[in-house]
């Protein structure tokens, strides 16, 4: 009798449907057998961004298995380069048995859990999903640029949920998603209190753009500089993102850093001497870890687009003030209203700013010097460890559910 695929006997025409079912079942059995012994470990897919790696590493540690960090193969940035990379992939340019998007990884030794924290690492995550037929538990922090149902477990913030809900109720009710109020920061313990003679203020400027409702303009930078001039004598650290939005770096240099380093006059006509400024630019090598910078600060000011820094600062239980909060719109404005109501963030509007004298008489108690529209009530403590425990339990339950 002739055989199909060298495995099965050719059946009569009347039983071809049975043959197709037999082949399909046999194929599934072979795939299951091939991937039934996944490595009892967790892979972290790293795109070499330390601020993202600390988040994925914390989730990986909470799963309780040995952790391996896997680097993502750098992809060409230009469309032409990506086209050539696609042709090389089509004609099998990578070595047999090796993953194309993950360095030093074999198709024969794949993990039980694999975690990605950025869309740059997403191709590697999808590749592992394909190679294991979905048996590896894939985890993505945030909203991936792919079909959400492809990912085993999505770890979303409240803002991510709000984005999905704006597309329709069905998009927000996902079986494969778990949510936290703030994005996971990777920090589960509060930093020790700091006692210094002079306050240390970390001014963290993000990429300059947040699709949920904010773009940092030159006028926002001017207002930020104006506000910093009103601070009492402080050591100020200007922290710049590694990948700022177009033209933002030069705007910060000319309208913020230069102004603070020179003698200047504010809009009230008061003259201010040069300020003590330190610039930390993560586009350059050799910079200190962001966690250390935030932990050593007495106050943290973040631009409204810089939500990851807000999450890290709240985890460290540091006072967090939002620059540009009054100009947020749509979902981001609603999100910051939630955080403000829970007393996790406040608008950056220091005492002495223009028109701040009009607000002070309406405040009961001591005015917050960095947010003159609020009294100096105690800050809320955000329980990041509870978030982490909830996320880890959800991921483990999903793994059991998908492989039962």
């Amino acid at each position: 009798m002739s055989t199909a695929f060298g495995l099965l006997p050719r059946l009569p025409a009347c039983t071809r449907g049975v043959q197709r079912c037999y082949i399909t079942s046999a194929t599934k059995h072979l795939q299951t057998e091939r991937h039934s012994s996944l490595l009892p470990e967790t892979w972290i897919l790293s795109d070499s961004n330390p601020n993202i790696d600390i988040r994925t590493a914390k989730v990986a540690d909470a799963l309780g298995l040995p952790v391996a960090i896997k680097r993502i193969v750098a992809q060409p940035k230009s469309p032409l380069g990506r086209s050539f990379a696609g042709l090389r992939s089509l004609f099998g340019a990578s070595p047999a048995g090796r993953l194309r998007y993950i360095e030093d990884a074999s198709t024969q030794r794949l993990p039980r859990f694999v975690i990605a924290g950025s869309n740059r690492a997403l191709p590697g995550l999808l590749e592992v999903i394909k190679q294991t037929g979905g048996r590896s538990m894939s985890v993505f922090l945030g909203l991936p640029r792919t079909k959400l149902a492809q990912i085993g477990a999505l770890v979303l913030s409240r803002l991510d949920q709000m984005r999905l809900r704006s597309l329709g109720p069905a998009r927000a009710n996902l079986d494969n998603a778990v949510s936290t109020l703030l994005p996971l920061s990777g920090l589960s313990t509060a930093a020790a209190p700091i006692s210094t003679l002079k306050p240390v203020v970390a001014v963290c400027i993000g990429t300059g753009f947040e699709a949920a409702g904010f773009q940092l303009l030159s006028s926002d930078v001017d207002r930020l500089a104006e506000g910093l001039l009103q601070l009492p004598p402080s050591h100020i650290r200007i922290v710049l993102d590694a990948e700022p939005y177009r033209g933002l770096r030069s705007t910060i240099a000319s309208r913020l850093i230069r102004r603070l380093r020179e003698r200047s006059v504010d809009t009230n006509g008061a003259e201010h001497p040069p300020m003590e400024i330190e610039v930390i630019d993560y586009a350059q090598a050799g910079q200190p870890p962001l966690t250390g910078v935030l932990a050593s600060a007495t106050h943290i000011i973040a631009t409204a687009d810089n939500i990851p820094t807000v999450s890290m600062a709240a985890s460290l239980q540091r006072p967090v003030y939002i620059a540009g909060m009054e100009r947020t719109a749509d979902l981001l404005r609603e999100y910051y209203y939630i955080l403000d109501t829970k007393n996790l963030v406040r608008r950056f509007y220091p005492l002495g700013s223009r028109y701040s004298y009009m607000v002070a008489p309406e405040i009961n108690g001591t005015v917050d010097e960095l947010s003159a529209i609020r009294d100096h009530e105690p800050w809320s403590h955000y329980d990041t460890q509870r978030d982490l425990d909830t996320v880890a339990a959800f991921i483990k339950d999903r793994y059991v559910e998908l492989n039962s």
Side-chain angles (χ1 to χ4, degrees), residues 191-354:
I194 298 175
S195 57
T196 59
L197 298 176
K198 184 183 292 187
V200 178
V201 181
V203 183
C204 301
I205 300 172
T207 61
F209 180 77
E210 170 52 58
F214 183 78
Q215 181 175 343
L216 190 67
L217 304 178
S218 57
S219 57
D220 299 310
V221 177
D222 292 338
R223 278 191 289 271
L224 176 58
E226 184 77 16
L228 293 175
L229 289 174
Q230 310 304 323
L231 298 183
S234 309
H235 178 74
I236 297 179
R237 290 174 173 165
I238 307 293
V239 182
L240 303 179
D241 191 86
E243 298 180 352
Y245 200 60
R246 39 179 110 146
L248 180 60
R249 191 179 302 279
S250 60
T251 302
I252 296 296
S254 61
R255 305 181 82 122
L256 178 64
I257 298 175
R258 182 185 301 173
R259 183 178 180 186
L260 296 180
R261 282 177 170 168
E262 297 175 351
R263 185 174 296 274
S264 59
V265 178
D266 63 21
T267 54
N268 296 322
E271 187 173 343
H272 297 270
M275 303 186 74
E276 184 182 347
I277 301 295
E278 177 186 357
V279 179
I280 299 174
D281 188 349
Y282 284 106
Q284 302 176 7
Q287 303 300 321
L290 180 59
T291 53
V293 173
L294 298 181
S296 62
T298 56
H299 301 80
I300 296 170
I301 301 169
T303 53
D305 58 287
N306 200 353
I307 298 174
T309 294
V310 172
S311 176
M312 295 175 72
S315 301
L316 293 169
Q317 297 183 13
R318 291 288 184 259
V320 191
Y321 300 88
I322 308 302
M325 183 174 170
E326 71 282 1
R327 232 181 40 74
T328 54
D330 303 328
L331 296 177
L332 191 60
R333 190 178 190 88
E334 182 181 348
Y335 183 58
Y336 274 124
Y337 175 78
I338 295 172
L339 298 182
D340 189 309
T341 302
K342 294 181 178 295
N343 206 18
L344 292 171
V345 303
R346 297 176 187 173
R347 175 187 168 189
F348 178 60
Y349 189 66
L351 192 63
S353 298
R354 199 173 188 183

